[in-house]
Amino acid sequence: MTDDVTRAEICVTACADAWRGAGEVLAHAVGTVPTISARLARLTHSPDLVLTDGEAFLMSEPPPLGGTAADGGTIEGWVPFSRIFDILNSGRRQSMMGASQIDRYGNQNISLIGDWDRPTRQLIGARGAPGNTVNHRTDYWVSRHSAKVFVESVDVVCGVGNDRARAHPSSSLRFHDLGLVVTDLAVLGYDAGGRLEVRSLHPGVTAEQVQANTGFPIECPSAPPTRLPTDEELRLIRTVIDPKSLRNREVRG
C-alpha cells in the first residue's frame, strides 16, 4: 500500500463506497470529491452507475475531472433536462449533496443562515434537496466538519431528516432514504433511531476531535479507521480521474 495517501484520497474512497450496490441508477454528485468518487465507483465496484458530464450527456467513460465530452469522454446517450425530473421521481437516482447545516437526524440546510425574514447569509436555496430526499437515497459530503455545519437545529429544512420523515402522517415519504454523511474527519451513518453516529474515523482523527467539532452529542461506538484506498484506486484517482489533483483543493492535509 502506498504510504503517501492524502486525506482527500481517503475521503474520495469513502464517498465511492457510498455508491456501492447502487445498481443502474443516475449518480448525482455535487462537488469535486463526490464527482471523483462516483467515477471511481463506476470504474471499480459499481459499473452499472450512470454518469453525466453535467450537460445531460450520459457517459460510459467520462473525461478527466474538469474536462468535457470533447476531452475524451465516451457519450452513450443524451437526456433533456426535463427528463431528469422523471428519473428523480421514479427513484432511479442516487444523490450526494453538500450541507451548509445538518442536524442529528439528517435535516439539511443549503438555503440561508439566520432568521428567514432577515438572514445573515443567503445561500443557494433549497434547489433539489426536498425532492431528492423524498424520492431516492441521498448521501451528504461535508468538506469542513465543524460545529457550524453540524448543528442542534437547522435554520431552514431543505433536505428532509429522519425525524420529520417518520412523523409525516401520509405515505408520501415512504421512499425517504438517507445513507451516509462523509466528512473530512469521519464517515457517519444513522442508528436505529435515525440519529447520526460515527461509523469510521479517518486515520489520525480521534472520537474526541469529531465530538469537539459537532454541535450535538454524537455516538462513536468503537468506530474503526476508515479504509485506505487500494493501489488500483489510487492509480485511477491520480492518473485517470483527477490528474490535476483538484481533490486537494477541497480537502486539506
Side-chain angles (χ1 to χ4, degrees):
M1 173 61 65
T2 305
D3 59 4
D4 61 344
V5 178
T6 67
R7 180 69 61 82
E9 290 161 345
I10 292 169
C11 291
V12 165
T13 53
C15 287
D17 283 344
W19 305 101
R20 192 181 293 273
E24 190 176 0
V25 298
L26 179 61
H28 172 241
V30 181
T32 300
V33 165
T35 299
I36 299 170
S37 78
R39 297 183 180 191
L40 180 64
R42 174 75 164 77
L43 292 171
T44 53
H45 52 70
S46 300
D48 291 331
L49 275 182
V50 179
L51 306 179
T52 173
D53 73 340
E55 297 179 3
F57 292 111
L58 302 182
M59 316 289 289
S60 62
E61 296 179 11
L65 199 66
T68 65
D71 299 315
T74 301
I75 300 174
E76 287 193 338
W78 180 76
V79 179
F81 185 66
S82 61
R83 290 296 305 278
I84 295 296
F85 294 98
D86 295 333
I87 296 171
L88 184 155
N89 291 334
S90 71
R92 294 173 296 172
R93 190 171 183 252
Q94 181 172 325
S95 179
M96 182 171 288
M97 303 178 65
S100 301
Q101 290 180 328
I102 188 168
D103 70 15
R104 72 184 70 204
Y105 289 101
N107 293 287
Q108 171 244 33
N109 173 27
I110 52 173
S111 183
L112 59 85
I113 303 297
D115 182 74
W116 176 269
D117 294 322
R118 297 182 64 86
T120 58
R121 182 175 299 177
Q122 182 66 56
L123 305 174
I124 63 175
R127 301 179 73 88
N132 290 345
T133 52
V134 302
N135 283 294
H136 56 69
R137 172 168 166 162
T138 302
D139 304 285
Y140 293 116
W141 158 244
V142 177
S143 61
R144 298 286 186 274
H145 190 135
S146 76
K148 290 184 178 181
V149 176
F150 290 89
V151 295
E152 186 68 40
S153 178
V154 300
D155 293 334
V156 178
V157 176
C158 299
V160 179
N162 290 314
D163 55 343
R164 283 178 166 80
R166 295 178 180 185
H168 199 272
S170 77
S171 62
S172 60
L173 292 180
R174 64 190 182 278
F175 300 117
H176 181 267
D177 182 13
L178 297 184
L180 299 175
V181 181
V182 182
T183 81
D184 62 329
L185 298 182
V187 177
L188 313 179
Y190 300 91
D191 63 18
R195 295 174 292 267
L196 282 172
E197 64 177 2
V198 179
R199 294 285 177 82
S200 70
L201 297 166
H202 299 339
V205 177
T206 65
E208 291 75 17
Q209 186 178 355
V210 171
Q211 182 61 78
N213 286 279
T214 303
F216 50 83
I218 186 167
E219 293 294 323
C220 185
S222 303
T226 306
R227 78 171 182 91
L228 298 178
T230 66
D231 290 338
E232 175 62 9
E233 286 173 325
L234 284 175
R235 184 190 71 81
L236 290 169
I237 293 169
R238 294 173 178 179
T239 66
V240 177
I241 305 171
D242 185 28
K244 295 181 181 180
S245 298
L246 299 180
R247 60 194 179 276
N248 293 322
R249 299 181 186 178
E250 197 164 78
V251 181
R252 300 171 184 171

